[in-house]
Amino acid sequence: MTAVEEPTTEPAPPFHLRGNYAPVMEEVDAVDLPVIGQLPPELNGRYVRNGANPKHGPTMHWFAGDGMLHGIRLREGRAEWYRNRWVRTKALEGAQRIDPATGAMDLTVGLANTHVWRHAGRIFALEEGSLPNEISPELDTLGPYDFGGLLRTPCTAHPHTCPETGEMHFFGYELIGPPYVTYHVADAEGRLVHSQPIEVPGPTMVHDFALSRNHAIFLDLPVVFDLELAMQGTMPFQWRDAYGARIGLLHREGARRGEQPRWFDVELCYVFHIMNAWESDDGSLVHLDAGRHASMWAGGPDRFEPSYLHRWTFDLRDGTVREEQLDDVAHGFPRIDERRTGLPNRYGYVVGPRPGAPQAMDAPSTIVKYDLRTGARTAHDFGAGGSTGEPVFVPRAGAVAEDDGYLVTFVHDAPSGSSSFVVLDATDVGVEPLAVVPLPQRVPYGFHGSWFADEPG
Ligand SMILES: [Fe+2]
């Protein structure tokens, strides 16, 4: 008689470790890649995108993987190279953020997995729990960067560069004790010229913030750090109704005189990503467009509530705030033409769902262009098995119209398991891509990227 094996009921891995979320283990170099269509010859530079790609086995959360950069280098219509590299962080080599003996935080230890940003000639791989990691244009890691010893807090993964002053505005948030949030400004030459604690009541998780012409805008929302959960090695951030929700407007000049933000209570929500903020001509109204989640992780750490484009309008004359949902279709990864940061923008670009697709983390997705003036939304559909990363806007040389440029991203095709780099015409996103560059390996879903145009000289 043959023994009958008991059926095994291995739990499925969490979403962030399967399908196109699963990490890749090879660091690949490829040159002179084939191009379908035509790369605009004026696109001279590099598109680099960051993401979580755990090297040493399963991670407890999507956000906990080691940073891996995927980059493509374009020159005069050619796709000169593609390569991917782990950021050589201290964490990758096994260092701990918190010294178990002293409890001290080591700001040089981080995952560097969230975004990649250039300021004053330096490129940073960013993750909000640590200092930036500087990388080379060839994606080699140069190491933690602390602005000559002046930056003594972590650095957000979402700095914003003011197009009028060239300053990079950013912040860091900390968890163990106040100040929980610190605001920083680096001038156009890359010098850290301002650091200031922002008074908030507790260890709130702050992923992004906004810049308008005269204000830095801070989110103080009810996803809060819990030290006991952290000690247990589980997801340490929790949704807490009782924390409340408010948004603070800090006058950029007032900040230099030590002013604190003016806070506005808002309906309970969470915001990962802002689209933009801008002011009325007389400066009395400040508008903030962002992706509003009704809650975050209220039902567990893998429970991402969808985000809907939402506008808060702050009236500085009477201290009121008005809230308005701009769309009833969910979105993620909002971007704009960064020459409009802090200024009125007509267009925004996001990742949206494919009509009819299930609401799931790995569902097919589209690139959506919002015309905020008319309310129109147009989409680029990558097909039933296609899903796209964040669309990054690159202006055309000499462009006058705000949308005169390109959208670049990585796209995954589930049936073939392959990935490609795609260039869309931002003025007409619905039509065929201008160029598709098939890539030599799968590019897992990631977080954020930037286009780094070649700089003169
Ligand atoms: Fe982000």
Side-chain angles (χ1 to χ4, degrees):
M1 187 175 165
T2 316
V4 177
E5 283 186 25
E6 289 287 319
T8 55
T9 51
E10 289 237 337
F15 81 86
H16 69 277
L17 298 172
R18 59 178 197 253
N20 194 44
Y21 287 93
V24 292
M25 287 297 136
E26 300 285 321
E27 294 185 322
V28 170
D29 284 278
V31 296
D32 294 328
L33 297 134
V35 178
I36 301 165
Q38 188 159 19
L39 287 167
E42 65 176 324
L43 282 181
N44 291 307
R46 295 156 169 86
Y47 169 65
V48 183
R49 198 221 63 196
N50 208 341
N53 196 91
K55 187 174 186 185
H56 303 297
T59 45
M60 67 169 178
H61 195 270
W62 183 24
F63 296 173
D66 304 295
M68 178 178 273
L69 303 165
H70 294 260
I72 184 165
R73 203 276 188 258
L74 309 183
R75 198 197 305 258
E76 293 169 0
R78 289 175 295 115
E80 218 171 58
W81 54 250
Y82 157 83
R83 64 184 57 149
N84 65 305
R85 294 288 186 274
W86 268 290
V87 185
R88 263 45 178 196
T89 61
K90 292 184 178 180
L92 194 72
E93 309 305 327
Q96 299 293 315
R97 285 179 200 262
I98 302 176
D99 184 324
T102 66
M105 285 282 294
D106 184 346
L107 294 179
T108 67
V109 179
L111 297 166
N113 67 9
T114 312
H115 203 347
V116 55
W117 196 257
R118 182 168 69 182
H119 183 66
R122 296 180 192 274
I123 302 173
F124 303 121
L126 298 166
E127 174 261 318
E128 64 202 34
S130 67
L131 292 171
N133 263 273
E134 188 177 359
I135 61 162
S136 78
E138 279 66 51
L139 313 188
D140 298 317
T141 302
L142 305 177
Y145 184 75
D146 65 1
F147 293 83
L150 296 175
L151 181 60
R152 299 194 186 92
T153 76
C155 173
T156 176
H158 287 285
H160 294 284
T161 302
C162 174
E164 297 185 301
T165 65
E167 298 163 328
M168 182 175 82
H169 293 247
F170 61 109
F171 67 94
Y173 75 90
E174 296 176 277
L175 303 171
I176 306 301
Y180 293 110
V181 178
T182 305
Y183 168 52
H184 302 283
V185 183
D187 69 12
E189 285 73 45
R191 294 175 296 233
L192 191 68
V193 293
H194 183 74
S195 291
Q196 170 191 0
I198 301 298
E199 292 162 13
V200 297
T204 173
M205 189 184 96
V206 194
H207 185 67
D208 197 350
F209 85 139
L211 204 59
S212 65
R213 176 170 264 163
N214 291 299
H215 294 86
I217 301 174
F218 295 89
L219 305 164
D220 184 19
L221 302 174
V223 170
V224 185
F225 177 75
D226 184 313
L227 184 59
E228 275 187 27
L229 293 175
M231 303 290 273
Q232 293 161 15
T234 57
M235 170 65 166
F237 292 99
Q238 269 198 330
W239 174 261
R240 290 244 180 89
D241 282 344
Y243 186 84
R246 56 184 198 153
I247 297 175
L249 274 58
L250 174 61
H251 197 275
R252 285 164 54 177
E253 284 307 313
R256 311 296 173 109
R257 300 188 295 271
E259 289 178 11
Q260 282 288 307
R262 179 173 178 185
W263 293 100
F264 295 76
D265 289 329
V266 297
E267 296 293 320
L268 284 184
C269 68
Y270 194 71
V271 171
F272 269 109
H273 296 123
I274 66 99
M275 179 178 272
N276 197 21
W278 77 99
E279 304 180 359
S280 58
D281 288 342
D282 68 356
S284 63
L285 299 174
V286 180
H287 306 279
L288 172 67
D289 289 351
R292 180 184 185 275
H293 303 259
S295 65
M296 184 51 56
W297 302 325
D302 285 341
R303 178 78 186 270
F304 287 83
E305 289 293 324
S307 69
Y308 298 95
L309 191 59
H310 198 82
R311 177 169 295 166
W312 289 265
T313 297
F314 307 95
D315 190 326
L316 298 175
R317 295 164 301 194
D318 62 12
T320 58
V321 56
R322 189 158 55 86
E323 302 200 29
E324 179 185 5
Q325 185 169 319
L326 298 185
D327 195 3
D328 57 5
V329 178
H331 80 281
F333 296 109
R335 295 295 289 258
I336 59 165
D337 173 358
E338 276 152 17
R339 297 171 306 173
R340 308 301 304 165
T341 295
L343 307 172
N345 62 300
R346 176 168 178 178
Y347 300 106
Y349 310 94
V350 304
V351 176
R354 187 168 194 264
Q359 207 181 76
M361 294 299 285
D362 58 354
S365 57
T366 61
I367 285 180
V368 174
K369 174 186 181 182
Y370 282 109
D371 182 335
L372 298 168
R373 188 177 299 166
T374 65
R377 66 197 313 282
T378 50
H380 188 93
D381 183 356
F382 295 95
S387 47
T388 176
E390 171 193 64
V392 171
F393 179 84
V394 184
R396 196 189 305 269
V400 177
E402 184 188 313
D403 61 345
D404 188 6
Y406 311 100
L407 297 173
V408 299
T409 194
F410 292 129
V411 173
H412 179 66
D413 180 59
S416 64
S418 62
S419 298
S420 52
F421 170 74
V422 174
V423 182
L424 300 181
D425 181 342
T427 65
D428 196 359
V429 298
V431 302
E432 283 296 299
L434 296 171
V436 174
V437 181
L439 298 172
Q441 73 170 345
R442 182 174 66 80
V443 176
Y445 298 130
F447 301 123
H448 306 284
S450 289
W451 169 255
F452 302 126
D454 287 347
E455 292 185 311

